[in-house]
Amino acid sequence: MNGIREPARACTHPTSSLFEQLVHASVDGVLAFDPALRITLWNRAMERLFGVRGKDVIGQPLLDVFPFFRAIGEVPRLTGALAGEHASSHGLPFHVPETGRKGFFDAHYGPLRGEMGEVVGGHVIVHDVTAQRRADDRATETEERFRTMADCAPVLLWMAGTNGECEYFNQVWLDFTGRTMEEELGIGWSEGVHAEDFQACMDTFVDAFNARRPFEMVYRLRRHDGAYRHILDNGVPRYTPLGAFAGFIGSCIDITDRVEDDTRRKELVTQLEGALRAREEFISIASHELRTPLTSLKLHTQRLLRWLSPDSTTPIDHERLERLATASHHQMVRLERLLESMLTGSRLANEGVALEPMAIDLARAVRDTIERFEIVADAAGAELVVVTDGPVEGTWDPACIDQILLNLLMNAVKYGEGRPIEVDVRADDPRAMAVVRVRDHGRGIAERDRERIFERFERAVSSNEVSGLGLGLFIVKRLTEAHGGHVRVEACADGGSVFVVELPRSPASINPPAPSRP
Ligand code: ADP
């Protein structure tokens, strides 16, 4: 700028010096002023920038042309330049009233010196940053719009950089976890992942990240209230406009309700399948059980018909006929008992129990049942021993008590291997209960089966070994519970099992019918 010695002139002079040509070729605006702040140079870039021609402003007071200089506080920089100082300002707004031009510029101020080094004026190099500023504003606006959208979206959002570390979480995520952005950034977020899901979650993330491919995964994430929720996380790689990998972005939704529904549905399906299987098994066992006495009955009848046929050569004597009739009767009783069990089992499962309680002596009732049962125990070669210590008074349904005991005695004979069966009935006065124990010395019951054998159709033996419908103990349990009592089985120290039925003695404890299971 030291070279400007001639009087000020406009930029279009046809005989411009090399130096002037350079000044006018500059893409940045160049403006010079004298000590009175009058414009002495105005290059073409200034014309382009501010829409004011050089010939119109040369010699004009700079602050008349640029009144906004005062408003933006740049006057001291102009006077500073005249005092020999250099200064810069960035991102200044401008507005030229004559042309209406608006924008932003960076300005660099400095003095102009004469041959002796004395200050003869000042200069301003003006760099137009309007386009850059608008681009920045657009980027800021886009960023703000993204953040507003991200915070309003009904999903949890995260963004990771190229190193895999998370660098952004939306407000929904922060509200969900109840943690701050600082706590979540990097790999802080993984502290909230359930310990059991942590490894799988990390593996999926790292594998997808390395392969730059989308992923979908479910893991449990701790919510602000400490509850772990099932989160479905979808991540996709993101790229810059030039196609460079920029990291990942992911969105998550809480699918806990869906997962719980699915689990409930699966449980229900498993239960239903179990019930169907049990029903199928029951039908096959029941058919087998019913066929056995029916086949015997059929054979007995056929034999009788043969004997009665006119062609028969077999002499019929009274003794043979009686044996045949007795055998047929036994099979019919067996059939009757089977059908009764099936009907009672089904009634108890579907309708519950309608009790007819009355004051009775339980010890007496048990002895009566045992007396009737002795013939069956004898046939099996099992000795029956009853122990009571006086009357046990209470209010119970006698028919139910009889059924409970008959079923337990029947099992003691069936599974007792012909060994003695002991029954004892006692009052447990402190608890106002009556306790009946039926003990056998047979095969015993494995601990794992001791609960389930009280359910419908549940058995701990195969039907090839010992026949049965799996209903006896179910009936015992239902009838006992209907009286407000309970039944359990324990192992005997010397082998075998003891079934313990505990019944409250007062009618107040009698329960309404129990709901059935499928
Ligand atoms: P069922 O005898 O017709 O199979 P229950 O419901 O009476 O049906 O008994 C269920 C299962 O409990 C039996 O299949 C058997 O495995 C087991 N069980 C019952 N009582 C005894 C017992 N006294 N000793 C050994 N096992 C028994």
Side-chain angles (χ1 to χ4, degrees), residues 54 136 424 479:
D136 287 353
D424 92 53
L479 295 179

Side-chain angles (χ1 to χ4, degrees), residues 285 289 338 341 407-416 438-446 449 452-462 466-476 489 496-499:
I285 291 173
E289 290 292 305
L338 278 171
S341 289
N407 276 296
L408 292 178
L409 289 171
M410 205 60 155
N411 281 351
V413 166
K414 237 163 58 169
Y415 304 104
V438 179
R439 184 191 308 265
D440 67 62
H441 301 274
R443 57 171 52 222
I445 301 167
D449 296 324
R452 71 168 182 91
I453 52 173
F454 289 97
E455 297 304 332
R456 205 150 62 120
F457 312 141
E458 291 287 351
R459 309 196 68 217
V461 283
S462 89
V466 186
S467 65
L469 296 173
L471 283 171
L473 292 182
F474 170 71
I475 293 171
V476 169
V489 61
S497 324
V498 52
F499 284 83

Side-chain angles (χ1 to χ4, degrees), residues 281-301:
E281 274 168 28
F282 171 74
I283 290 171
S284 106
I285 291 173
S287 330
H288 172 78
E289 290 292 305
L290 292 173
R291 191 171 300 126
T292 314
L294 267 179
T295 311
S296 298
L297 260 179
K298 199 168 144 193
L299 286 174
H300 296 333
T301 322

